[in-house]
Amino acid sequence: MSLPRYQVLIGGEWRDAASGAVFETHDPYAGKAWALIPECNDQDVDRAVAAAKDAFERGPWATMTATQRGALLRKLGDLVAANAESLARTEVRDNGKLISEMLGQTRYVPQWYYYFGGLADKVEGGVLPIDKAGVFNFTRWEPLGVVAAIVPWNSPLLLLTWKLAPALAAGNTVVIKPSEFTSASALEFGRLFEQAGFPPGVVNIVTGYGKEVGEPLVTHPDVAKVAFTGGELSGQRVYESAARGLKRVTLELGGKSPNIVFDDAVMEDAVKGAISGIFAATGQTCIAGSRLLVQRSIHNEFVDRLVTFARTAKMGDPADPDTQVGPVTTPPQYRKILDYIAVGRSEGAQVALGGGPADKARFGDGWFIEPTIFTGVNNRMRIAQEEIFGPVLSVIPFEDEEEAIAIANDTAYGLAAGVWTQSIRRALMMSERLRAGTVWVNTYRAVSFMSPFGGYKRSGLGRESGQEAIYEYLQQKSVWISTATEVPNPFVLR
Ligand code: NAD
């Protein structure tokens, strides 16, 4: 049976890759190819950037008011809402995450288009009470030009939207590069731009690999800004290339987030919080609470309850709404997780649950790994320092608040942290002293279009979501108008 074949969107037209090449995209549950994706290269990137540049400089987009842009974004939000279910099903097929999770995301995605659509015409410059006579000075916020939006495979449309909504609201045009593992939902989403009324070339999509498509996009002289979510190494490469072109960047990278349970926590809630931190999304989330710090006085009881709960997690078909743990998304990721489990064993950590691939007889050719809990972990071990991006939890005991803070902050990353306590003093003190872009107290994995998201330290640069995110896609201009009747001395600075 022939597989469905997707096309890319360039300048408002659906096309094959310039080379005509395609690659297979896989269903992680079945472990089989299910569709063909255009394998673009630098020629496609050149065309997409040219279309975006043209739309930015000459198309109707260039003269549209911010209010009109906002209306288009809100229409796009309505269309995503109307198509949320089919988009979610495509994502499940492509990345193997749970239908409950992906549907939750695609139903929530419209809010970013509504929020930034509403914000588009509320970005105001100022008239400055300038300290010079005979001159009027005001500021304007202007778009940057062509934005490259590069996204990973774990939450394809959500992470794309975090870039696209503010970039378009600010008046930029965009070239999207989805992950080579999960391009289908972005291409289906691309059908909605025309329906929403976006002029051709305002949003373009090219698909393919990081080296062949991502790099030419980042280095293209007509790309003004790169908004990237992905792994740390690719992020570094993107940052270096962008630096050579003196481009603006936003980087959302990895994490090794501490989820900290104090002995005064509501234990049942904290157990669920620990589970949600690591086994939701099969651990394939940048904000995974992959280091569980548990106060020594409750450590053994807590671990027992955690293991008992995790053991009941229902693994299986991600398209089944009752499934709680699905497959991992890609074969390289599957191998990487198993390698880390071996590292944990060799470092002397004890396996309290799982510790290997899931039973082939039950899960066929899908890429399933058992939810795995390591105890006896020391924060210096590799399984405590390196991002695994899978269902592998490292449990680390601590004595008191000072030790919890020291361990929590002893990491190269700083994306998120969780704290479980009933003490308001402790909650406030911890949220101040944890070096992370997001701190959750008595909850975990909450995000909103209103709340800034991003990393401290090696977890990234810049913020997505929240009002300030629009300024990541704008630049400020200062305009001076002389009101003087006489021209001053031209040889001195005014
Ligand atoms: P990845 O870095 O391999 O790929 C991300 C994207 O970048 C893909 O589209 C890829 O093709 C592209 N790419 C790769 N090399 C490139 C290059 N040199 N130039 C330009 N583009 C390039 O990451 P991944 O494996 O797809 O995703 C997992 C990673 O993403 C994890 O490390 C995770 O922590 C991180 N992540 C971060 C966040 C966040 O918001 N902080 C969210 C989700 C995922």
Side-chain angles (χ1 to χ4, degrees):
M1 203 181 71
S2 68
L3 301 175
R5 185 182 172 128
Y6 283 91
Q7 291 185 304
V8 290
L9 178 64
I10 297 178
E13 284 175 19
W14 290 94
R15 310 175 181 196
D16 291 333
S19 67
V22 289
F23 61 93
E24 291 178 339
T25 190
H26 290 82
D27 175 341
Y29 176 56
K32 289 192 179 67
W34 74 274
L36 299 173
I37 305 292
E39 189 176 335
C40 296
N41 59 26
D42 51 354
Q43 245 184 304
D44 304 276
V45 169
D46 285 348
R47 287 180 186 170
V49 175
K53 186 178 182 215
D54 197 58
F56 182 75
E57 289 177 350
R58 279 180 285 280
W61 183 252
T63 52
M64 234 177 236
T65 64
T67 309
Q68 288 168 323
R69 286 200 307 268
L72 290 184
L73 278 162
R74 291 195 295 277
K75 181 86 196 1
L76 182 62
D78 287 343
L79 287 165
V80 174
N83 290 278
E85 177 140 6
S86 70
L87 290 167
R89 291 204 181 280
T90 300
E91 299 217 310
V92 172
R93 191 98 197 257
D94 231 5
N95 77 358
K97 282 174 83 176
L98 304 183
I99 185 67
S100 46
E101 163 97 351
M102 298 331 280
L103 203 48
Q105 290 190 8
T106 55
R107 285 189 178 144
Y108 196 29
V109 154
Q111 296 302 328
W112 271 265
Y113 295 105
Y114 300 147
Y115 182 77
F116 284 100
L119 196 56
D121 60 5
K122 288 161 199 72
V123 173
E124 296 172 351
V127 174
L128 304 186
I130 209 78
D131 61 313
K132 297 180 193 299
V135 76
F136 182 78
N137 178 264
F138 67 96
T139 59
R140 290 169 49 79
W141 285 101
E142 296 185 349
L144 306 172
V146 179
V147 171
I150 303 181
V151 275
W153 42 262
N154 57 331
S155 293
L157 282 184
L158 183 75
L159 297 175
L160 166 59
T161 291
W162 290 8
K163 297 159 183 54
L164 192 61
L168 293 177
N172 301 281
T173 57
V174 181
V175 178
I176 297 167
K177 191 209 123 12
S179 164
E180 54 273 36
F181 295 107
T182 56
S183 304
S185 64
L187 295 171
E188 288 180 12
F189 170 60
R191 301 251 163 228
L192 308 180
F193 299 127
E194 197 185 349
Q195 288 177 41
F198 283 91
V202 172
V203 184
N204 308 272
I205 309 173
V206 285
T207 51
Y209 298 99
K211 187 149 187 48
E212 288 74 21
V213 181
E215 282 189 17
L217 191 54
V218 173
T219 51
H220 198 294
D222 291 330
V223 167
K225 150 140 198 170
V226 183
F228 174 89
T229 299
E232 191 186 338
L233 282 178
S234 325
Q236 278 172 349
R237 222 167 287 145
V238 165
Y239 199 18
E240 282 164 15
S241 311
R244 276 194 289 278
L246 296 173
K247 295 174 191 198
R248 300 251 299 248
V249 290
T250 312
L251 299 174
E252 300 287 1
L253 309 176
K256 195 74 194 177
S257 300
N259 204 358
I260 308 165
V261 184
F262 284 99
D263 59 6
D264 67 339
V266 177
M267 207 171 295
E268 201 185 327
D269 295 355
V271 167
K272 286 189 188 151
I275 295 276
S276 138
I278 192 67
F279 299 130
T282 321
Q284 301 170 110
T285 157
C286 52
I287 49 182
S290 49
R291 288 186 299 149
L292 183 71
L293 277 52
V294 184
Q295 197 153 17
R296 211 176 279 283
S297 49
I298 56 161
H299 177 274
N300 293 355
E301 186 191 349
F302 191 84
V303 169
D304 283 349
R305 287 170 77 153
L306 182 69
V307 168
T308 305
F309 194 115
R311 195 168 272 137
T312 65
K314 188 170 174 276
M315 288 178 82
D317 182 352
D320 176 347
D322 292 334
T323 300
Q324 293 169 315
V325 179
V328 299
T329 301
T330 73
Q333 191 59 26
Y334 177 80
R335 289 189 291 273
K336 177 177 152 190
I337 297 167
L338 292 177
D339 286 350
Y340 268 113
I341 293 175
V343 166
R345 282 201 168 93
S346 72
E347 287 181 308
Q350 287 95 50
V351 177
L353 182 73
D359 181 8
K360 271 269 172 219
R362 277 182 62 207
F363 297 107
D365 291 331
W367 304 312
F368 281 86
I369 291 181
E370 295 173 313
T372 296
I373 298 178
F374 276 113
T375 53
V377 178
N378 169 318
N379 200 50
R380 291 282 92 217
M381 290 179 180
R382 283 182 62 200
I383 55 164
Q385 288 292 325
E386 297 173 20
E387 187 184 47
I388 300 175
F389 219 62
V392 181
L393 181 66
S394 295
V395 185
I396 305 169
F398 67 87
E399 214 59 58
D400 54 18
E401 287 172 353
E402 285 307 316
E403 196 185 12
I405 293 164
I407 296 173
N409 288 339
D410 177 20
T411 166
Y413 296 109
L415 194 57
V419 179
W420 299 85
T421 177
Q422 292 187 76
S423 155
I424 186 74
R425 177 201 64 77
R426 187 171 259 171
L428 286 170
M429 181 277 292
M430 291 297 289
S431 49
E432 201 177 303
R433 292 188 58 192
L434 288 168
R435 304 271 302 143
T438 295
V439 176
W440 292 293
V441 178
N442 296 332
T443 184
Y444 206 86
R445 275 188 104 224
V447 294
S448 164
F449 47 91
M450 288 186 193
S451 189
F453 180 89
Y456 278 34
K457 302 193 271 184
R458 294 178 84 89
S459 289
L461 294 174
R463 292 292 178 269
E464 296 189 314
S465 301
Q467 287 192 32
E468 284 80 13
I470 199 166
Y471 295 99
E472 303 266 358
Y473 296 90
L474 286 163
Q475 53 196 335
Q476 208 174 17
K477 181 181 276 176
S478 172
V479 182
W480 296 79
I481 301 174
S482 173
T483 56
T485 47
E486 277 175 39
V487 177
N489 181 349
F491 297 101
V492 290
L493 184 71
R494 274 208 79 185

